[in-house]
């Protein structure tokens, strides 16, 4: 068979294999009702050696060479069956062959079928030894899958592997519908490779030809094959008219790529290249996007204060890798780099969230054995904007060591050690080398209804800080630390006791249901050490949800270890149904501090508070198989307000029918505290905190129509945060989707900048087992992606 690069005719046909991953079961069932199935017992093995059975109203012949059968003639051998008004059977003994060659000529209402294809026509010929079959001026229908057409001549070859059509056509539309089709002077369908090759191909919408190509490959199964995927078109205020034409390249079983020319009327032609691979060292993905001479970027240079001679070529490189080699070696990479700070504001990418303000560049490799592991890593950042105003620390490099030794008598032991060099993207900020060691001894006790874990640690850390003079000259009450010292040693012990109980009972009002009651109490002691002479290189405030009440750290990293003399108490109750599915839970807890929690640096205005400091609660309720709710709330007495809260109520009938209402909240004080920057309370972006209410829905509104929508409103700033709506028409033959999205795409003139986009997609159906409505992809593409409540 000829092998050539597919042309643009494959654009809308090969796409169906690689588009959506969800399934619309109802539509698929309806479509399969119009597809014939093989309803005779399936014969396996060499069917050519099986006997031939012939039934007819009458027969005459010249035994053993020729025979003529007339009237309801039915010839069967193995899985093949040939019927006609009249058949002529010819048997000839070839020289040197022990088995005679048997052929059949069929006339009138010819019908051939097997477990793969049905052929119909006025005249046919078949070789009963090889199953080679010709049918003239007829039509064909695939068995068990969509696919049919007509031809001047249809041939079965290669033991039914190939169907060859002379002046033939192909469509996946069901009988009675010819919304689209491909016709060619020769069509070869290879059922083993699951591909159709078409010469002099014309793609038709109805009876109107719209594309021509001298050669076309068309996938006819679920097997991965090279070819064009679904094109996508949209219009937005940021980029103008956009058209994307992805090409999938099946390089090898362990490697493939997607190459996407992306045209933007306001910017030019971008080439997006995504490469995926699987090796003995792990799996990974690389993305290289390139846009030469961005026209809109040139127009924006004056507004953005960019020099006119600045390069207008835009590019992105992304690499993600994770793998294990020979069960011991670990390799990981997460690297992103772009041409300029405005790349993610101007151009969409599924590998980055533009709200971060920087791109992460992290590499690590390690070795793990039974009782120990070691990891060497580097973590760098590409900062968007002036580095002189940013404060982001790089770990260049970092070495982590862990040693585990269980069964030290009744104890379990662990030693954690770390060495790291911190540098800042801002040359005016201090740098440091940090050495840390942390031995831990744990005594775990448990039975079927209770557990008690007693843990003791000793934390020893050494800092060698450089470049501190400039920072020390600017220290004030809002700074992240006090006056820094070149050399600092910090040692402190830590002691923790964590006890849990689990009680359960059968519920009288709901037979078969079980309720648990799970109280938990933890005591934590860490003595106070003044850490104001240490800069917080990798320490930020951790979120205090219900689980966070029982952490032994208030901050991430090692630079801020707050003193503690506190008791965390909480209680959880759960309800399980007959099948042990959790139907309901609620957890409520608090931290009660006997002494102030301090680090030596003021993080809140009321840091010296004691007593009940933080309350947190989480709940989940699976109201029914279709209704679910979850939520959480944290109250911080030091901030004297509700720090965070969230709530979700969702109705979900299936993957394509759901409605969700949501709300999320973070107070301005909590945001400023979490980001360790009190000046954010006056920043126009952060000063109002976060208060957003949203609604998301996906629903088929008629037999062939489905609707997707999302709306999120910022109640503090009285404006929409995002709006999304999509309408899709789906049939057994094709699907068309129209979408609109309006989302925040930056900050301009002290106000949010919005981008409006209208998108259009068309997909041909029946070429694979995909009948999805595309709802999940549409819902996840927004800046506030949809997440299931249950």
């Amino acid at each position: 068979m000829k092998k050539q690069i597919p042309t643009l005719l494959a654009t809308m046909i090969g796409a169906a294999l690689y588009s959506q991953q969800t399934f619309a079961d109802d539509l698929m069932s309806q479509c399969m009702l119009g597809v014939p199935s093989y309803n005779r017992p399936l014969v396996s093995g060499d069917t050519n050696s099986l006997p031939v059975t012939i039934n007819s109203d009458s027969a005459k012949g010249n035994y053993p060479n020729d025979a003529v059968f007339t009237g309801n003639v039915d010839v069967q051998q193995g899985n093949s069956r040939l019927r006609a008004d009249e058949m002529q059977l010819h048997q000839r003994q070839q020289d040197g062959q022990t088995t005679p060659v048997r052929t059949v000529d069929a006339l009138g209402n010819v019908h051939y079928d097997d477990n793969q294809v049905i052929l119909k026509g006025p005249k046919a010929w078949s070789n009963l030894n090889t199953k080679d079959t010709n049918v003239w001026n007829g039509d064909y229908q695939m068995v068990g899958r969509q696919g049919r057409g007509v031809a001047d001549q249809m041939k079965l070859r290669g033991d039914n592997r190939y169907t060859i059509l002379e002046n033939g056509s192909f469509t996946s539309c069901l009988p009675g519908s010819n919304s689209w089709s491909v016709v060619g002077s020769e069509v070869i369908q290879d059922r083993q490779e699951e591909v159709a090759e078409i010469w002099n191909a014309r793609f038709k919408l109805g009876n109107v030809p719209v594309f021509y190509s001298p050669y076309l490959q068309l996938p006819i199964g679920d097997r991965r094959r090279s070819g064009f995927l679904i094109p996508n078109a949209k219009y937005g205020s940021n980029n103008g008219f956009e058209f994307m034409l992805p090409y999938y390249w099946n390089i090898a079983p362990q490697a493939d790529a997607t190459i996407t020319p992306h045209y933007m009327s306001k910017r030019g032609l971008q080439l997006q290249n995504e490469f995926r691979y699987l090796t003995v060292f792990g799996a990974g993905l690389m993305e290289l996007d390139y846009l030469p001479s961005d026209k809109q970027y040139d127009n924006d240079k004056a507004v953005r204060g960019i020099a006119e001679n600045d390069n207008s070529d835009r590019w992105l490189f992304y690499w993600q890798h994770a793998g294990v080699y020979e069960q011991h070696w670990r390799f990981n990479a997460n690297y992103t780099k772009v041409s300029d700070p405005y790349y993610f504001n101007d151009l969409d990418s599924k590998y980055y969230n533009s709200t971060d303000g920087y791109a992460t560049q992290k590499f690590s490799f390690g070795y793990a054995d039974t009782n120990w592991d070691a990891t060497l890593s580097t973590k760098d950042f590409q900062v968007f904007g002036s580095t002189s105003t940013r404060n982001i620390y790089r770990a260049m490099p970092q070495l982590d060591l862990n040693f585990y030794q269980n069964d030290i008598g009744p104890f379990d032991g662990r030693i954690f050690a770390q060495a790291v060099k911190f540098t800042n993207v801002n040359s005016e900020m201090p740098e440091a080398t940090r050495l840390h060691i942390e031995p831990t001894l744990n005594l775990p006790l448990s039975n079927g209804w209770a557990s008690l874990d007693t843990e003791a640690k000793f934390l020893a850390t050494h800092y060698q800080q450089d470049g501190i003079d400039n920072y020390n000259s600017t220290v004030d009450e809002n700074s992240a630390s006090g006056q820094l010292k070149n050399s600092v040693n910090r040692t402190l012990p830590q002691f923790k006791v964590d006890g849990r109980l689990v009680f359960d009972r059968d519920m009288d009002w709901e037979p078969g249901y079980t309720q648990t009651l799970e109280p938990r109490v933890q005591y934590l002691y860490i003595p106070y050490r003044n850490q104001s002479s240490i800069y917080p290189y990798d320490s930020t405030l951790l979120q205090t949800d219900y689980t966070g009440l029982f952490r032994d750290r208030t901050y991430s990293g090692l630079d801020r270890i707050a003193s503690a003399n506190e008791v965390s108490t909480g209680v959880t109750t759960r309800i399980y149904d007959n099948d042990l599915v959790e139907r309901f839970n609620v957890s409520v807890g608090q931290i009660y501090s006997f002494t102030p929690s301090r680090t030596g640096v003021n993080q809140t205005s009321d840091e010296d508070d004691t007593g009940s400091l933080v309350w947190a609660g989480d709940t989940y309720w699976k109201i029914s198989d279709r209704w679910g709710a979850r939520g959480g709330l944290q109250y911080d007495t030091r901030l004297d307000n509700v720090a965070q809260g969230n709530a979700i109520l969702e109705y979900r009938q299936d993957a394509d029918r759901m409605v969700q209402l949501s709300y999320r909240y973070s107070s301005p004080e909590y945001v400023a505290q979490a980001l360790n920057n009190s000046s954010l309370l006056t920043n126009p972006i952060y000063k109002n905190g976060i208060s957003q209410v949203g609604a998301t829905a996906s629903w088929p509104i008629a037999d062939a129509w489905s609707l997707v929508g999302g709306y999120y409103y910022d109640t503090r700033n009285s404006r929409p945060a995002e709006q999304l709506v999509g309408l899709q028409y789906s049939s057994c033959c094709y699907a068309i989707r129209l979408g609109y999205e309006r989302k925040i795409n930056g900050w301009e003139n002290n106000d949010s900048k919005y981008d409006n986009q209208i998108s259009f997609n068309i997909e041909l159906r029946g070429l694979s087992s995909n009948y999805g409505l595309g709802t999940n992809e549409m819902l996840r593409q927004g800046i506030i992606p949809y997440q299931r409540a249950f």
Side-chain angles (χ1 to χ4, degrees):
M1 302 303 160
K2 296 180 182 179
K3 299 294 181 184
Q4 300 182 24
I5 297 176
T7 64
L8 285 176
L9 283 173
T11 299
M12 301 161 71
I13 303 174
L17 281 179
Y18 316 103
S19 55
Q20 314 298 328
Q21 300 302 315
T22 58
F23 295 88
D25 293 336
D26 293 343
L27 179 61
M28 181 172 64
S29 300
Q30 294 173 20
C31 295
M32 293 307 294
L33 289 176
V35 175
S37 60
Y38 186 74
N39 53 16
R40 299 192 298 271
L42 187 64
V43 179
S44 58
D46 182 13
T47 58
N48 292 335
S49 62
L50 297 176
V52 177
T53 302
I54 303 176
N55 295 297
S56 66
D57 293 342
S58 63
K60 62 181 179 178
N62 179 22
Y63 182 84
N65 297 325
D66 302 287
V68 178
F69 301 89
T70 57
N72 298 314
V73 186
D74 189 340
V75 180
Q76 297 187 43
Q77 184 185 30
N79 298 314
S80 302
R81 185 179 185 182
L82 180 63
R83 290 175 289 173
D85 295 338
E86 179 181 321
M87 290 192 196
Q88 300 174 7
L89 176 63
H90 308 286
Q91 182 169 281
R92 298 290 185 270
Q93 185 72 44
Q94 303 291 332
D95 294 339
Q97 301 290 328
T98 59
T99 303
V101 176
R102 293 172 294 181
T103 62
V104 172
D105 292 309
L107 298 172
N109 296 314
V110 176
H111 181 111
Y112 171 86
D113 67 88
D114 57 29
N115 58 316
Q116 294 181 330
V117 68
I118 297 173
L119 306 178
K120 296 179 182 180
K123 182 174 66 172
W125 167 90
S126 181
N127 185 318
L128 299 180
N129 298 70
T130 63
K131 298 300 182 295
D132 290 352
T133 302
N134 295 346
V135 177
W136 284 267
N137 299 319
D139 59 78
Y140 70 94
Q141 170 74 61
M142 292 184 178
V143 174
R145 64 176 305 116
Q146 291 177 237
R148 62 180 182 87
V150 298
D152 291 348
Q153 185 179 10
M154 299 174 288
K155 305 175 184 177
L156 293 182
R157 295 294 186 268
D159 197 18
N160 289 358
R161 172 177 174 178
Y162 301 105
T163 299
I164 303 172
L165 311 178
E166 301 294 342
N167 293 322
S169 68
F170 174 84
T171 181
S172 65
C173 298
L174 297 179
S177 172
N178 289 302
S179 299
W180 69 267
S181 62
V182 180
V183 299
S185 60
E186 184 177 43
V187 180
I188 301 177
Q189 298 178 19
D190 186 339
R191 277 180 281 275
Q192 181 173 313
E193 293 294 327
E194 296 184 345
V195 65
E197 296 179 294
I198 306 172
W199 282 266
N200 295 315
R202 285 93 68 198
F203 180 78
K204 291 185 175 182
L205 295 178
N207 294 319
V208 180
V210 293
F211 289 115
Y212 169 82
S213 174
Y215 175 77
L216 171 67
Q217 277 192 357
L218 175 68
I220 56 174
D222 293 323
R223 188 169 179 175
R224 294 192 321 175
R225 296 202 60 85
S226 299
F228 284 94
L229 310 184
I230 291 180
N232 181 29
K234 60 184 178 180
Y235 181 84
S237 56
N238 197 33
N239 298 328
F241 173 74
E242 299 182 57
F243 181 77
M244 289 140 281
L245 179 58
Y247 178 80
Y248 176 78
W249 181 16
N250 185 27
I251 303 171
Q254 295 82 26
D256 60 15
T258 303
I259 303 168
T260 306
H262 182 177
Y263 172 75
M264 294 168 279
S265 62
K266 288 187 177 182
R267 300 188 182 275
L269 181 64
Q270 180 190 45
L271 193 62
Q272 300 174 341
N273 306 277
E274 183 183 74
F275 172 68
R276 292 165 294 271
Y277 61 89
L278 176 64
T279 70
V280 295
F281 298 102
L285 179 149
M286 291 184 178
E287 173 87 5
L288 177 61
D289 299 345
Y290 181 70
L291 171 63
S293 303
D294 186 339
K295 296 178 291 185
Q296 186 62 41
Y297 184 70
D298 283 333
N299 297 335
D300 293 338
K301 284 180 178 179
V303 177
R304 293 172 170 174
I306 302 172
E308 286 295 327
N309 60 354
D310 191 76
N311 194 335
S312 298
D313 294 347
R314 318 288 296 278
W315 54 266
L316 169 146
F317 176 72
Y318 171 82
W319 181 29
Q320 184 273 327
H321 177 92
V324 178
Y325 178 66
E326 291 188 345
Q327 299 181 344
H328 293 287
W329 294 95
R330 271 71 169 160
F331 305 93
N332 290 276
N334 185 3
Y335 183 92
T336 305
K337 189 173 179 63
V338 292
S339 56
D340 58 87
Y342 296 98
Y343 185 93
F344 291 113
N345 293 95
D346 298 340
L347 302 168
D348 293 332
S349 175
K350 58 186 176 183
Y351 304 113
Y352 180 78
N353 184 348
S354 61
T355 61
D356 293 342
Y358 56 82
T360 303
Q361 301 165 357
K362 184 176 182 180
F363 299 95
S364 69
F365 75 92
Y367 185 90
D369 210 334
T370 304
N371 294 322
W372 66 278
D373 62 74
T375 303
L376 181 65
S377 63
T378 65
K379 189 173 185 180
D380 200 356
F381 302 92
Q382 180 185 8
V383 178
F384 307 140
S386 173
T387 58
S388 62
T389 61
R390 306 303 296 271
N391 179 21
I392 300 176
Y393 273 94
R394 303 169 290 210
M396 303 285 286
Q398 178 174 319
L399 176 65
D400 293 289
L401 300 170
N402 287 285
F403 176 77
Y404 308 90
Q405 183 62 57
N406 297 332
D407 301 325
I408 309 174
F411 298 97
D412 294 335
R414 173 179 178 244
I415 298 176
F416 167 68
Q418 184 186 88
V420 57
K421 170 67 175 178
F422 289 111
T423 62
N424 200 294
V425 297
N426 184 349
S427 59
E428 300 296 322
M429 298 300 293
E431 300 181 353
T433 298
R434 184 178 72 195
L435 304 176
H436 178 80
I437 188 168
E438 185 177 316
T440 302
L441 198 62
N442 183 53
L443 177 62
L445 302 172
S446 64
N447 58 22
W449 54 272
S451 66
L452 182 67
D453 291 332
T454 304
E455 182 182 82
K457 291 184 179 181
F458 182 77
L459 299 89
T461 314
H462 170 74
Y463 290 84
Q464 188 63 42
Q465 302 179 114
D466 303 313
I468 62 176
D469 294 338
N470 182 72
Y471 176 81
N472 284 341
S473 65
T474 61
V475 169
D476 59 28
E477 62 181 7
N478 293 320
S479 298
S481 71
Q483 295 287 324
L484 303 183
K485 298 179 181 179
N486 289 109
S487 180
V488 180
N489 293 313
R490 181 194 63 195
T491 59
L492 67 164
Q494 175 181 307
F495 178 75
K496 181 176 72 171
V497 180
D498 187 359
R500 311 184 196 198
L501 296 172
V502 179
F503 304 102
D504 65 81
R505 69 182 181 94
D506 295 332
M507 302 184 66
D508 298 333
W509 55 272
E510 191 66 48
Y513 275 50
T514 302
Q515 181 184 15
T516 69
L517 186 66
E518 306 168 25
R520 182 176 181 183
V521 179
Q522 174 185 281
Y523 174 73
L524 175 66
Y525 176 77
I526 303 174
Y528 168 67
R529 298 289 187 269
N530 189 330
Q531 297 156 56
S532 62
S533 58
I534 302 171
Y535 193 83
Y537 300 100
D538 66 350
S539 289
T540 57
L541 187 68
L542 294 171
Q543 180 178 339
T544 310
D545 54 11
Y546 179 78
T547 302
L549 296 176
F550 299 93
R551 292 194 199 99
D552 56 6
R553 302 285 175 84
T554 307
Y555 298 88
S556 64
L558 297 170
D559 305 315
R560 292 290 179 265
I561 300 178
S563 63
N565 183 15
E566 64 189 31
V567 172
S568 299
T569 57
V571 62
T572 299
T573 183
R574 310 177 195 272
I575 296 178
Y576 297 90
D577 64 14
N578 303 12
D579 299 320
L580 297 182
V581 174
E582 187 174 7
R583 288 289 180 175
F584 176 80
N585 72 55
V586 61
S587 302
V588 179
Q590 67 157 338
I591 296 177
Y592 187 93
S593 183
F594 299 103
T595 59
S597 178
R598 297 180 294 163
T599 62
V601 181
N602 287 326
Q603 300 297 327
T604 67
S605 59
D606 298 318
E607 186 185 67
D608 291 337
D609 283 353
T610 58
S612 181
L613 298 183
V614 179
W615 283 84
D618 296 318
T619 187
Y620 164 75
W621 184 13
K622 191 173 183 180
I623 305 169
S624 68
D625 290 339
R626 295 183 177 182
W627 283 94
R630 67 170 64 246
L633 190 70
Q634 297 102 52
Y635 181 83
D636 195 324
T637 62
R638 294 164 297 183
L639 301 176
D640 196 24
N641 63 32
V642 174
Q644 284 191 306
N646 65 84
I648 297 176
L649 175 65
E650 179 172 326
Y651 173 84
R652 168 173 287 273
Q653 183 172 328
D654 53 39
D656 298 306
R657 296 170 175 84
M658 73 87 193
V659 178
Q660 183 187 92
L661 303 176
S662 63
Y663 177 74
R664 63 174 186 160
Y665 171 83
S666 293
S667 71
E669 295 79 9
Y670 175 81
V671 173
Q673 184 188 49
L675 298 177
N676 197 23
N677 188 348
S678 59
S679 64
L680 295 180
L681 292 172
T682 59
N683 186 300
I685 300 178
Y686 300 100
K687 67 179 182 179
N688 292 325
I690 300 171
S691 178
Q692 292 179 345
V693 60
T696 305
S698 166
W699 205 269
I701 55 178
D703 289 342
W705 295 88
S706 61
L707 182 67
V708 171
Y711 184 86
Y712 293 87
Y713 186 79
D714 188 336
T715 62
R716 287 291 181 91
N717 296 304
S718 301
R719 68 187 62 192
E722 183 180 21
Q723 301 164 69
L724 170 71
V725 63
L727 181 66
Q728 177 162 313
Y729 173 81
S730 301
S731 71
C732 300
C733 195
Y734 61 90
I736 297 177
R737 182 193 310 151
L738 182 66
Y740 170 77
E741 183 178 12
R742 184 173 188 261
K743 61 184 179 181
I744 296 176
N745 189 40
W747 188 260
E748 191 174 88
N749 299 324
N750 292 325
D751 202 357
S752 299
K753 178 184 177 182
Y754 287 90
D755 182 27
N756 300 283
Q757 293 185 350
I758 298 175
S759 60
F760 174 80
N761 296 78
I762 185 169
E763 175 185 349
L764 303 182
R765 293 293 178 86
L767 300 175
S768 72
S769 57
N770 169 48
Y771 293 84
L773 300 179
T775 55
N776 285 344
E777 179 181 323
M778 295 184 68
L779 290 174
R780 294 183 185 278
Q781 70 184 14
I783 58 173
I784 307 176
Y786 160 75
Q787 293 181 340
R788 290 184 58 168
F790 65 97

